[in-house]
């Protein structure tokens, strides 16, 4: 029995320790809100930078990890984007970030990469996270909309089909996306 | 029906060929390395089970009480899922577990892990409820309702948690003592339903497990492994054992007014890897007995002709055993137990038996190095079992025996049950392994006396099983 008490105490202590450790800000955490449209002027090798951008973006929050995940899941599509990039040669890629749109589940913020007039990539910088259900909703929305072969790139507009079961998140995504597209002009 | 030379009439050396003049060498020792490896594997698995959470959660992302509560709920959930699998694995009777840790010790671990598991499950449920309620802005009850209605597989998950609490409740010592064994056992079988009911929600709602990936694959692999281990330990291995040895009752011998010895024969007994002091779980395949399985120690060292168990008649089942007919088939699962000569840490041993607790100790006497001492507590002279064999061992193996007969409160037994009394009989008691077997209360009392007499914990071997 004494050992069981020890084990239970150990469980409580180590769970608390893990949570507290993760709550402390990590090292080298980039400021999250700073790079909005200002990230614009990109290196000349406009084609390659879409992928790294997705993963070097803020890695500090859960929403960012969602974004980097969508970046890597969109990876097979990036060659296609790079081909359009090299075809359109000089025009530089720019990144536009939409505003944070909140709904009852959390915040949504969309970032798009534009080459010339064309949207070549979209990523969710923030999505509602926390509960398993919101994780699932966000993942559904993210996987359908974002990425270099997602619905945003396909439609080239914010006119997207609503993901069933994730109406509010779809809606917030579209609004942030529309605002980002509007910045282009 | 064949009759066999009964060792209580003319005791023979344990194995043919080893004459009485040259006692057989003691069995080789088994170290504690296997046990340590098991502990290391367990702790490694525990770390690995929390690892998916660790990797999914970037540093600094847990801001606010709700996020931290939810994270703690996820950690306790992963720990609970892992511990549940460990619990089932420990009850799988996998031979390697029996060999490295032993049935008695595993039963103790099972108890300790059970308490931790129960706390982890309750913490997981509460923390996730509070965390999600905070995130989605609902009351606790409202959140519970939403989870039951809208989340996948949560009805069965709540049922699993409820069952687990029930299983824990009937296993609290005080509760278990007043319940009939059968009821406790049936409730415990419900623990398998917990495994089944709790399975789905981990993958449909577990933040670390619902996405395809290494964490999910690993978690499923863990389940497959545990089920495979269980099948091996509970089904395949016993089948193999019983098909190979085909045990039958050959003789029932009355040892005292309330104790009988059962002699079993079978084939290939020379290949039986049995150590004195170990026990099997026996099932006698006859009307009224076949459905229950009980652990009894083997009461004679392994030999190639027969197995013997000596049973004190205390209940209905043991009463039935007295009337078994020769030829009855026996289903045995084992051997298990680490209260054996192979687990000694010193060269000399002191054995303390009380009542029918002599049986496992009797079986290991021949496997111990010479110079062993035995204190045999019995209430009345009629309760002394297997005395002729013990006397034979005194003459031929240099065993020293003290019969301490009388009630617990008589002066002599009381004197023996003190550190000084023990030292008078066995001056070097602190430098011996001590094997204890008897009723749990008495064993515990002796254990404390031994500790006071300076015997270290690892030198004390208990053969009480709480199964």
């Amino acid at each position: 029995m004494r050992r069981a008490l020890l084990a239970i105490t150990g469980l409580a202590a180590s769970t608390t320790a893990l949570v507290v450790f993760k709550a402390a800000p990590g090292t080298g955490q980039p400021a999250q809100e700073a790079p909005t449209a200002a990230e614009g002027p990109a290196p000349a090798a406009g084609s390659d930078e879409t992928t790294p951008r997705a993963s070097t973006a803020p890695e500090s929050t859960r929403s960012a990890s969602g974004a980097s995940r969508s970046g890597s899941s969109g990876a097979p599509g990036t060659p296609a984007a790079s081909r359009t990039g090299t075809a359109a040669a000089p025009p530089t890629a720019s990144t536009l970030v939409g505003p944070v749109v909140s709904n009852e589940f959390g915040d949504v913020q969309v970032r798009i990469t534009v080459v010339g007039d064309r949207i070549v990539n979209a990523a969710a910088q923030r999505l509602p996270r926390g509960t398993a259900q919101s994780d699932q909703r966000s993942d559904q929305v993210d996987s359908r909309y974002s990425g270099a072969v997602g619905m945003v790139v396909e439609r080239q507009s914010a006119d997207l089909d609503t993901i069933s079961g994730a109406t509010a998140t779809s809606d917030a995504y579209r609004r942030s996306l529309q605002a980002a597209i509007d910045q282009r002009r | 029906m064949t009759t066999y030379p009964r060792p209580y009439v003319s005791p023979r050396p344990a194995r043919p060929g080893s004459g009485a003049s040259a006692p057989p060498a003691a069995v080789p020792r088994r170290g504690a390395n296997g046990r340590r490896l098991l502990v290391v594997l367990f702790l490694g698995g525990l770390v690995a089970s929390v690892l998916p959470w660790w990797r999914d959660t970037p540093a600094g992302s847990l801001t606010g009480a709700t996020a931290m509560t939810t994270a703690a709920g996820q950690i306790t959930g992963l720990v609970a899922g892992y511990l549940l699998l460990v619990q089932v694995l420990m009850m799988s009777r996998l031979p390697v577990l029996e060999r490295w840790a032993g049935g008695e010790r595993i039963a103790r671990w099972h108890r300790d892990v059970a308490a931790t598991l129960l706390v982890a499950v309750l913490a997981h449920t509460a923390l996730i409820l509070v965390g999600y309620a905070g995130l989605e802005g609902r009351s606790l009850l409202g959140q519970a309702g939403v989870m039951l209605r809208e989340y996948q597989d949560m009805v069965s998950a709540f049922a699993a948690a409820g069952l687990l609490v029930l299983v824990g409740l009937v296993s609290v010592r005080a509760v278990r003592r007043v319940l009939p064994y059968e009821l406790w056992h049936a409730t415990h079988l419900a623990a398998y339903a917990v495994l089944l009911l709790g399975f789905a929600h981990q993958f449909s709602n577990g933040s670390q497990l619902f996405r395809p990936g290494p964490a999910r694959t690993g978690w499923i692999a863990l389940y497959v492994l545990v089920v495979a281990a269980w099948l091996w330990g509970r089904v395949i291995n016993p089948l193999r054992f019983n098909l190979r040895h085909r045990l039958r009752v050959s003789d029932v011998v009355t040892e005292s007014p309330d104790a009988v010895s059962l002699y079993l024969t079978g084939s290939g007994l020379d290949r039986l890897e049995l150590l004195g002091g170990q026990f099997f779980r026996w099932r006698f395949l006859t009307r009224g007995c076949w459905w229950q399985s009980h652990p009894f120690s083997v009461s004679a060292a392994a030999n190639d002709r027969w197995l013997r168990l000596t049973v004190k008649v205390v209940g209905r089942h043991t009463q039935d055993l007295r009337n078994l007919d020769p030829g009855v088939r026996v289903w045995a699962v084992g051997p298990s137990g680490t209260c054996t000569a192979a687990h000694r840490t010193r060269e000399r041993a002191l054995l303390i038996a009380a009542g029918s607790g002599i049986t496992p100790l009797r079986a290991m006497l021949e496997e111990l190095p010479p110079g062993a001492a035995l204190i045999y507590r019995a209430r009345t002279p009629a309760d002394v079992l297997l005395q002729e064999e013990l006397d034979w061992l005194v003459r031929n193996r240099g065993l020293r025996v003290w019969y301490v007969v009388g009630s617990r409160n008589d002066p002599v037994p009381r004197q023996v049950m003190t550190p000084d009394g023990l030292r008078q009989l066995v001056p070097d008691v602190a430098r011996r392994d001590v094997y204890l077997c008897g009723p749990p209360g008495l064993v515990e009392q002796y254990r404390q006396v031994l500790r006071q007499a300076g015997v270290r914990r690892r030198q004390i071997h208990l053969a009480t099983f709480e199964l």
Side-chain angles (χ1 to χ4, degrees):
Chain A
M1 212 54 227
R2 205 176 49 190
R3 246 185 332 200
L5 284 178
L6 267 176
I8 292 166
T9 318
L11 173 70
S14 50
T15 305
T16 314
L18 280 172
V19 169
V20 167
F21 190 90
K22 281 292 189 186
T27 47
Q29 179 194 5
Q32 209 208 325
E33 292 303 325
T36 359
E39 268 207 325
S47 53
D48 300 316
E49 61 89 42
T50 51
T51 330
R53 176 101 338 152
S55 51
T56 50
E59 289 248 65
S60 57
T61 61
R62 282 193 70 107
S63 59
S65 80
S68 65
R69 226 181 291 124
S70 79
S72 55
S73 73
T78 36
S82 64
R83 248 177 276 121
T84 54
T86 34
T92 51
S94 57
T95 304
L96 302 169
V97 181
V100 176
V101 177
S102 304
N103 64 16
E104 69 253 51
F105 303 110
D107 301 339
V108 179
Q109 187 174 31
V110 179
R111 187 184 67 228
I112 54 174
T113 309
V114 180
V115 176
D117 223 15
R118 190 178 156 71
I119 303 171
V120 295
N121 203 351
Q125 194 145 311
R126 285 188 180 200
L127 277 172
R129 296 282 171 195
T131 72
Q133 224 184 25
S134 64
D135 272 10
Q136 278 180 353
R137 276 193 296 255
S138 299
D139 272 19
Q140 278 169 1
V141 169
D142 203 26
S143 62
R144 293 284 301 281
Y145 289 176
S146 305
V149 290
M151 207 186 286
V152 175
V153 174
E154 185 190 318
R155 302 262 169 102
Q156 294 292 316
S157 77
D159 181 21
L160 308 171
D161 300 341
T162 299
I163 306 298
S164 67
T167 317
T169 307
S170 305
D171 196 46
Y173 192 105
R174 280 192 300 250
R175 278 160 56 201
S176 180
L177 172 65
Q178 188 61 56
I181 292 174
D182 289 345
Q183 288 174 29
R184 197 167 47 170
R185 284 137 208 164
Chain B
M1 176 209 131
T2 36
T3 51
Y4 292 85
R6 289 179 194 155
Y8 69 97
V9 177
S10 65
R12 287 158 174 264
R15 289 166 205 285
S18 54
S21 53
V27 293
R29 274 189 211 179
R30 283 181 190 172
N33 285 339
R35 194 174 78 226
R36 290 191 191 118
L37 179 67
L38 288 180
V39 173
V40 168
L41 281 176
F42 166 75
L43 293 176
L46 189 62
V47 170
S49 67
V50 183
L51 203 62
W53 174 86
W54 179 262
R55 297 189 44 183
D56 265 14
T57 311
S61 66
L62 299 178
T63 47
T66 45
M68 288 167 89
T69 313
T70 309
Q74 288 168 346
I75 297 171
T76 46
L78 289 167
V79 169
Y82 173 70
L83 291 184
L84 182 63
L85 284 174
V86 169
Q87 285 292 74
V88 176
L89 185 66
M90 286 202 287
M91 288 298 111
S92 69
R93 303 203 180 132
L94 205 61
V96 68
L97 294 179
E98 297 282 359
R99 189 162 337 115
W100 285 354
E104 304 101 322
R105 180 174 275 112
I106 287 179
R108 282 204 301 278
W109 286 352
H110 186 78
R111 264 200 93 82
D112 292 337
V113 172
T116 318
L117 169 62
L118 199 60
V119 170
V121 164
L122 291 177
H124 168 64
T125 315
L127 289 166
I128 289 285
L129 260 178
V130 172
Y132 279 22
L135 280 169
E136 300 192 348
R138 290 199 189 87
S139 69
L140 278 184
L141 269 179
Q143 184 60 35
V146 167
M147 284 177 130
L148 282 170
R149 269 180 280 115
E150 292 179 16
Y151 282 50
Q152 242 181 318
D153 306 316
M154 282 313 294
V155 178
S156 57
F158 271 98
L163 266 180
L164 202 65
V165 171
L166 186 72
V167 173
L169 213 62
V170 299
S171 301
V172 173
R173 275 203 187 91
V175 180
R176 185 179 162 182
R177 230 171 276 139
V178 299
L179 291 179
Y181 170 85
E182 284 78 13
L183 182 65
W184 170 82
H185 188 243
T187 323
H188 234 81
L189 288 182
Y192 293 118
V194 173
L195 192 69
L196 214 67
L197 290 170
F199 179 79
H201 89 283
Q202 306 179 57
F203 300 100
S204 51
N205 298 314
S207 296
Q208 278 72 42
L209 301 174
F210 80 83
R211 285 184 210 94
R216 185 185 170 105
T217 314
W219 206 254
I220 293 176
L222 214 56
Y223 265 86
V224 172
L225 267 177
V226 167
V227 170
W230 190 89
L231 279 177
W232 180 262
R234 291 271 182 157
V235 182
I236 299 173
N237 197 45
L239 261 177
R240 235 173 39 144
F241 178 92
N242 286 286
L243 288 178
R244 178 188 290 167
H245 296 301
R246 297 178 179 278
L247 297 173
R248 282 174 188 274
V249 175
S250 86
D251 208 353
V252 180
V253 177
T254 305
E255 300 283 358
S256 83
D258 60 354
V260 288
S261 281
L262 305 178
Y263 285 82
L264 311 180
T265 54
S267 55
L269 293 185
D270 52 330
R271 282 180 296 160
L272 196 64
E273 282 177 39
L274 170 69
L275 290 168
Q278 290 189 307
F279 63 94
F280 286 86
R281 292 179 174 82
W282 307 97
R283 206 182 273 279
F284 296 91
L285 305 182
T286 174
R287 197 140 58 115
C289 286
W290 62 271
W291 53 274
Q292 16 184 355
S293 144
H294 290 273
F296 293 117
S297 299
V298 171
S299 65
N303 61 68
D304 53 9
R305 288 159 298 151
W306 42 262
L307 280 174
R308 183 181 69 183
L309 50 153
T310 304
V311 178
K312 192 174 179 194
V313 178
V314 284
R316 262 233 319 272
H317 180 69
T318 40
Q319 185 67 45
D320 289 341
L321 294 186
R322 184 184 258 178
N323 304 322
L324 282 179
D325 293 323
V328 165
R329 280 190 183 280
V330 183
W331 182 269
V333 179
S336 345
T338 52
C339 187
T340 75
H343 292 86
R344 67 190 184 275
T345 62
R346 304 295 168 111
E347 271 316 295
R348 266 177 304 180
L350 165 66
L351 300 86
I352 303 177
S356 59
I358 187 65
T359 58
L361 303 187
R362 154 72 189 92
M364 61 188 287
L365 277 172
E366 280 147 280
E367 294 171 357
L368 283 168
L374 168 68
I375 298 175
Y376 189 176
R377 285 276 290 106
R379 196 153 296 176
T380 67
D383 288 326
V384 173
L385 300 175
L386 311 172
Q387 188 175 359
E388 284 173 66
E389 289 174 50
L390 295 174
D391 291 344
W392 183 86
L393 285 163
V394 169
R395 287 194 304 275
N396 295 287
R397 292 275 206 282
L399 173 73
R400 287 190 296 156
V401 182
W402 294 273
Y403 296 98
V404 182
V405 178
S407 121
R408 200 174 285 202
N409 298 320
D410 288 351
V412 174
R414 260 172 61 180
Q415 166 64 18
V416 173
M417 206 182 222
T418 59
D420 285 337
L422 274 177
R423 270 192 227 107
Q424 269 178 16
L425 292 185
V426 190
D428 60 347
V429 58
R431 292 193 302 278
R432 287 174 181 251
D433 278 298
V434 183
Y435 295 85
L436 281 172
C437 190
L442 200 73
V443 166
E444 179 53 33
Q445 248 176 314
Y446 260 113
R447 202 183 61 82
Q448 284 167 11
V449 171
L450 285 166
R451 298 282 292 139
Q452 287 162 19
V455 183
R456 288 163 56 172
R457 194 173 297 148
R458 73 172 62 149
Q459 284 164 246
I460 303 179
H461 309 266
L462 308 179
T464 48
F465 22 75
E466 212 181 333
L467 298 169

